[in-house]
Amino acid sequence: RMSSIIIKISLVYILVKFAYGKVLSAEIEITSQTMEWKREENIAIASGEAKAVQGNRILNAEKIIVFFNKKEEKKNIYKLDASGNVRFISGSQIATGEFASYFVDDEKVIIKGNVRLKRDDSLMIGEELSIDLKNSSSKLISGSNSGKVKVKYKTEDKQ
């Protein structure tokens, strides 16, 4: 039988390691209801049910701004900024929040605003989540009001 345990942590942050899995492809596919290109600024704006997919990583939001750099006569995506009902999925982990930045080359994601990270039977709640996809680690920071993050785990009841 499983019982729920709520752990309130009074530390400023918690380090949580979890496996995010490897990216299957370097290619990023972006879909949305509308797409606007601003060539002089080297950006594209995907609006309305925007979705960016890179291998097993999926970023959903109301709007995603795509930042390009220019390398060897070819433009590459180096960053994605997402806003509005943000959801980042990698493997069995789902992180949600209000805003996110995905740094493609560094394989880092920062999610801010009412952050929730779900994995299997655990739930982590805070104000800012930093995910290092290369090292399969994350850091959750509390909001200034509570000064705490919240973590809920399900464990086996040994009775």
Side-chain angles (χ1 to χ4, degrees):
R1 186 172 97 173
M2 302 293 278
S3 64
S4 218
I5 296 176
I6 297 175
I7 303 170
K8 291 186 180 180
I9 301 171
S10 60
L11 299 173
V12 175
Y13 67 89
I14 181 172
L15 288 175
V16 180
K17 281 205 137 196
F18 51 92
Y20 256 84
K22 301 244 184 232
V23 173
L24 303 176
S25 169
E27 181 178 275
I28 297 175
E29 180 181 284
I30 298 166
T31 57
S32 63
Q33 292 175 341
T34 63
M35 184 78 74
E36 176 184 357
W37 286 270
K38 295 188 176 186
R39 287 186 179 97
E40 289 183 16
E41 298 175 45
N42 283 326
I43 65 169
I45 302 168
S47 299
E49 298 176 26
K51 181 179 184 179
V53 178
Q54 183 187 35
N56 67 346
R57 299 173 185 166
I58 302 169
L59 178 63
N60 292 301
E62 291 172 17
K63 178 167 83 171
I64 297 175
I65 301 173
V66 182
F67 294 85
F68 297 93
N69 58 11
K70 197 169 182 179
K71 290 183 178 176
E72 301 172 10
E73 303 299 317
K74 183 173 143 183
K75 288 187 177 185
N76 293 311
I77 296 171
Y78 72 90
K79 182 173 98 163
L80 302 171
D81 278 352
S83 60
N85 296 319
V86 171
R87 186 172 60 174
F88 180 76
I89 302 168
S90 183
S92 64
Q93 285 84 197
I94 301 171
T96 60
E98 296 171 14
F99 307 97
S101 290
Y102 175 25
F103 301 91
V104 177
D105 293 338
D106 293 335
E107 294 187 60
K108 291 189 179 173
V109 178
I110 297 172
I111 302 172
K112 295 181 180 181
N114 298 316
V115 175
R116 292 176 169 268
L117 175 62
K118 293 179 189 176
R119 179 176 181 232
D120 301 321
D121 290 332
S122 65
L123 172 66
M124 292 167 249
I125 301 169
E127 196 57 31
E128 182 177 324
L129 174 65
S130 177
I131 304 169
D132 183 335
L133 297 161
K134 281 183 186 176
N135 297 316
S136 300
S137 65
S138 68
K139 176 180 176 180
L140 185 62
I141 301 171
S142 70
S144 59
N145 292 343
S146 70
K148 297 180 181 181
V149 298
K150 183 187 276 188
V151 181
K152 295 180 182 181
Y153 291 102
K154 283 195 175 186
T155 60
E156 280 190 51
D157 188 356
K158 298 191 180 199
Q159 292 181 352

